[in-house]
Amino acid sequence: MTPPLMQVSGLSKSFPGVLALDDVTLEIQPGEVHALVGENGAGKSTLIKILAGAYRADRGRILWEGTEVQLKDAAAATRLGISVIHQDLNLVPNLSVAENVLLGRPAPKRLGLFVNWGELSRRARRAIERLDAEFDPQTPLRELSHAMRVLVAIARALTTDARLIIMDEPTAALSAAEADRLHEIVRDLSGSGTAVLYVSHRLDEVLALANTITVFKDGRHVGTVPRSAVTDKRELTQMIIGRRLNEATERSQTRAPGEVLVEVRNVSLGQRLKGASLTVRANEVVGLAGLVGSGRSELGRVIFGAERPAAGSIIINDRPVRKNSPRLAMSRGVAMLPEDRRNQASIATMSIRQNTTLVSMGKYLWGPFFSSRRERKAVKGLIERFQIKVVSMARPIRQLSGGNQQKVIVARWVNRSPSVLIFDEPTQGVDVGAKQEILGIVSALADDGAGVVFISSELDEVLQVSDRIVVLREGEVAAELKGPDVTRDQVLHACYGTDELT
Ligand code: ADP
Ligand code: MG
């Protein structure tokens, strides 16, 4: 009997304070499509990084065709025939498609053979042809859509003669038609003997594609089953959530929502939002839940004017908005803390003081004069109010921990006294202590009368701070859940689209 292509056993990996993988097992057969599913934080990406040679496991064994192997680095994984398509794809926009495809080839031996570039580019072209992609290999990558780039990443994997291609949420940012095309390619690869380890939150596609399904939860291997053993999406969702049936999560005090501050009606934005509506009232936190790519951030960005919807209407503070823009939204009292704070929101080398008053400089002007005394006093007050741990407000913001940086950015917007605040993943990358503090700030702002839109992938946080939870699925509002009895299960079923069955 031929051994499995890959066998992972007893694999553990911890990070300070977290056991990310706890004694996990996984077996992959040649040519199968093996889906790996689990909630956020289940350990999927950690496993992938170990298999890619990016992380070393603390314990455990990896067998490749029956022989134990060490995946010391990325080159070792590539040499074996493991190729990973990360969510961010790791492509270079300024290089051509062909050059990007060739990036994947194993590094040439330092001495010995000459690199046969002619042969390499022929292989690149063949890999692109195999995918039926309609682009010229000489096209600069930056001219391609995200979906096309996914194909380039797959072509790159093919030139390395990958026998196991690992895809981490490959369809998260794709439209339905583009995802279908990718599914075809996955079936094709599998048909020609390449195994695919497919990580996805979209359970419909998992059920349609996979031969085998493995479920991880809290770093542990919950089970592996053949596709045929899973009846439907609801059963798979139960496996993913585990036995925490209708566990009630502790909720903050209930507030009495006031007047309507923002009214969004039937907004559409390409494939990302399809007629979504949302009402935000004073004195409440509206949590937006949904899977990656469900349109949560887009809805927030539409209210803030960072995206202009193709259809639909927006009313802010009783006045219709025709051409929304961040400037207009800000003038009507809307503030937004964007998701990717390191790239968008904070200016790393600017001081804490400058970062705090970046969007409210006007407050310290008196005629043409700028009062730095008043500015310093205000910043000092905010530092105290949000308990930001700083040595001096003159230091660059990048010297602060992630949690404290995030609090500076919260302070920046609160200083404008906005009536509506949109938080997009405000606790991403901050430690547990800072997380609770930020959630406390979110609650306090709503208690003080603001309307807060809270977007997070951490369901427990959404349940903890929200008065009302709006669940988005593929650009549409799938459910609205309210009241102290909302459970994690209800929200998850709505996220996965299995709520109709309850
Ligand atoms: P998944 O991909 O299933 O969402 P991850 O593998 O990313 O899960 O994370 C598993 C756990 O390990 C989580 O608790 C996460 O916070 C933690 N973790 C992952 N990477 C790191 C890291 N580089 N440093 C610290 N903790 C990490
Ligand atoms: Mg992950």
Side-chain angles (χ1 to χ4, degrees):
M1 213 184 81
T2 48
L5 179 63
M6 191 183 70
Q7 275 167 294
V8 167
S9 61
L11 212 66
S12 296
K13 170 80 186 171
S14 55
F15 295 108
V18 211
L19 189 51
L21 286 178
D22 184 2
D23 195 23
V24 303
T25 305
L26 186 74
E27 212 169 86
I28 294 179
Q29 306 299 333
E32 76 170 339
V33 180
H34 195 126
L36 176 60
V37 294
E39 287 179 62
N40 289 323
K44 306 177 298 286
S45 295
T46 303
L47 175 69
I48 290 175
K49 285 176 187 155
I50 291 171
L51 298 179
Y55 286 169
R56 298 293 293 274
D58 302 336
R59 245 172 309 114
R61 291 180 356 128
I62 300 170
L63 305 186
W64 184 262
E65 298 188 306
T67 309
E68 180 159 6
V69 290
Q70 305 294 331
L71 299 173
K72 280 196 293 291
D73 51 26
T78 309
R79 272 195 304 275
L80 272 185
I82 300 176
S83 183
V84 182
I85 297 171
H86 294 282
Q87 259 193 293
D88 60 6
L89 303 180
N90 281 336
L91 298 172
V92 187
N94 284 327
L95 295 181
S96 69
V97 167
E99 285 165 321
N100 269 287
V101 169
L102 293 178
L103 281 179
R105 110 205 107 77
K109 295 268 183 320
R110 207 187 291 203
L111 294 170
L113 296 173
F114 292 100
V115 181
N116 186 342
W117 290 104
E119 167 60 15
L120 280 173
S121 43
R122 265 192 300 282
R123 278 172 60 183
R125 206 168 44 241
R126 247 182 289 142
I128 295 167
E129 276 164 11
R130 192 172 153 194
L131 300 177
D132 273 336
E134 297 98 30
F135 42 71
D136 185 303
Q138 297 314 318
T139 319
L141 186 87
R142 72 182 116 76
E143 291 176 11
L144 301 187
S145 66
H146 181 78
M148 290 294 167
R149 292 181 191 200
V150 173
L151 298 186
V152 173
I154 295 172
R156 183 176 59 178
L158 293 176
T159 58
T160 64
D161 298 322
R163 302 191 46 211
L164 169 62
I165 299 184
I166 302 175
M167 302 187 186
D168 195 355
E169 292 271 357
T171 54
L174 302 190
S175 68
E178 291 164 342
D180 280 347
R181 175 89 190 85
L182 182 76
H183 297 162
E184 253 174 64
I185 290 169
V186 169
R187 288 197 188 95
D188 234 49
L189 289 170
S190 151
S192 62
T194 310
V196 177
L197 180 62
Y198 197 89
V199 176
S200 177
H201 282 299
R202 294 191 181 179
L203 301 188
D204 287 322
E205 73 175 13
V206 163
L207 289 171
L209 272 182
N211 310 115
T212 311
I213 302 173
T214 288
V215 179
F216 274 17
K217 180 173 171 52
D218 299 333
R220 280 192 294 273
H221 174 255
V222 175
T224 295
V225 289
R227 162 64 185 89
S228 54
V230 183
T231 330
D232 56 15
K233 204 155 91 166
R234 185 173 163 78
E235 191 178 313
L236 185 53
T237 310
Q238 258 333 315
M239 290 168 64
I240 292 170
I241 318 175
R243 304 239 164 269
R244 272 175 313 184
L245 282 170
N246 292 341
E247 162 195 303
T249 311
E250 215 175 304
R251 305 292 290 283
S252 55
Q253 68 294 347
T254 37
R255 284 172 281 260
E259 77 274 22
V260 173
L261 299 175
V262 175
E263 181 89 65
V264 175
R265 284 277 154 263
N266 298 319
V267 290
S268 292
L269 196 67
Q271 287 296 316
R272 297 176 294 157
L273 285 177
K274 302 171 204 157
S277 299
L278 184 75
T279 304
V280 185
R281 295 169 184 280
N283 230 252
E284 74 166 347
V285 178
V286 185
L288 295 189
L291 304 175
V292 175
S294 60
R296 296 168 309 185
S297 298
E298 283 77 8
L299 193 52
R301 288 166 54 77
V302 161
I303 299 172
F304 188 59
E307 303 261 14
R308 222 171 258 168
S313 62
I314 305 168
I315 299 169
I316 302 177
N317 286 329
D318 285 333
R319 281 151 64 203
V321 175
R322 282 206 320 122
K323 272 194 170 171
N324 204 9
S325 67
R327 175 189 288 267
L328 181 83
M330 280 164 68
S331 74
R332 300 233 185 136
V334 180
M336 176 162 188
L337 285 86
E339 176 171 18
D340 189 356
R341 69 168 182 276
R342 277 184 193 85
N343 290 329
Q344 306 181 358
S346 58
I347 301 178
T349 54
M350 275 174 45
S351 71
I352 294 161
R353 173 166 63 91
Q354 288 167 314
N355 263 291
T356 308
T357 55
L358 196 62
V359 293
S360 48
M361 298 289 281
K363 281 176 113 174
Y364 313 107
L365 287 177
W366 197 73
F369 302 106
F370 182 76
S371 166
S372 57
R373 190 185 55 80
R374 280 179 44 219
E375 185 200 23
R376 270 200 309 276
K377 190 164 163 240
V379 173
K380 193 159 167 281
L382 287 162
I383 287 175
E384 278 164 19
R385 172 166 169 203
F386 294 129
Q387 297 177 21
I388 307 172
K389 289 172 201 75
V390 301
V391 180
S392 147
M393 66 174 84
R395 295 282 180 89
I397 191 173
R398 68 175 141 75
Q399 291 183 357
L400 298 181
S401 69
N404 282 299
Q405 285 187 23
Q406 186 67 320
K407 286 198 259 173
V408 169
I409 295 159
V410 176
R412 172 193 297 172
W413 288 103
V414 168
N415 196 31
R416 283 182 63 91
S417 315
S419 54
V420 176
L421 283 109
I422 303 160
F423 288 86
D424 195 359
E425 301 282 359
T427 62
Q428 208 168 59
V430 312
D431 65 61
V432 280
K435 230 174 230 189
Q436 284 309 318
E437 287 175 24
I438 290 169
L439 296 179
I441 292 171
V442 168
S443 265
L445 289 166
D447 290 341
D448 291 346
V452 179
V453 178
F454 183 83
I455 304 169
S456 173
S457 302
E458 308 277 333
L459 204 44
D460 291 320
E461 294 182 357
V462 178
L463 284 161
Q464 185 185 329
V465 297
S466 308
D467 298 293
R468 188 154 59 85
I469 299 176
V470 172
V471 180
L472 289 165
R473 191 168 69 235
E474 293 172 10
E476 295 175 46
V477 173
E480 179 161 333
L481 303 161
K482 200 159 68 174
D485 303 325
V486 176
T487 63
R488 210 185 139 79
D489 279 23
Q490 280 175 307
V491 181
L492 272 169
H493 279 302
C495 288
Y496 285 113
T498 47
D499 48 330
E500 306 85 2
L501 304 163
T502 25

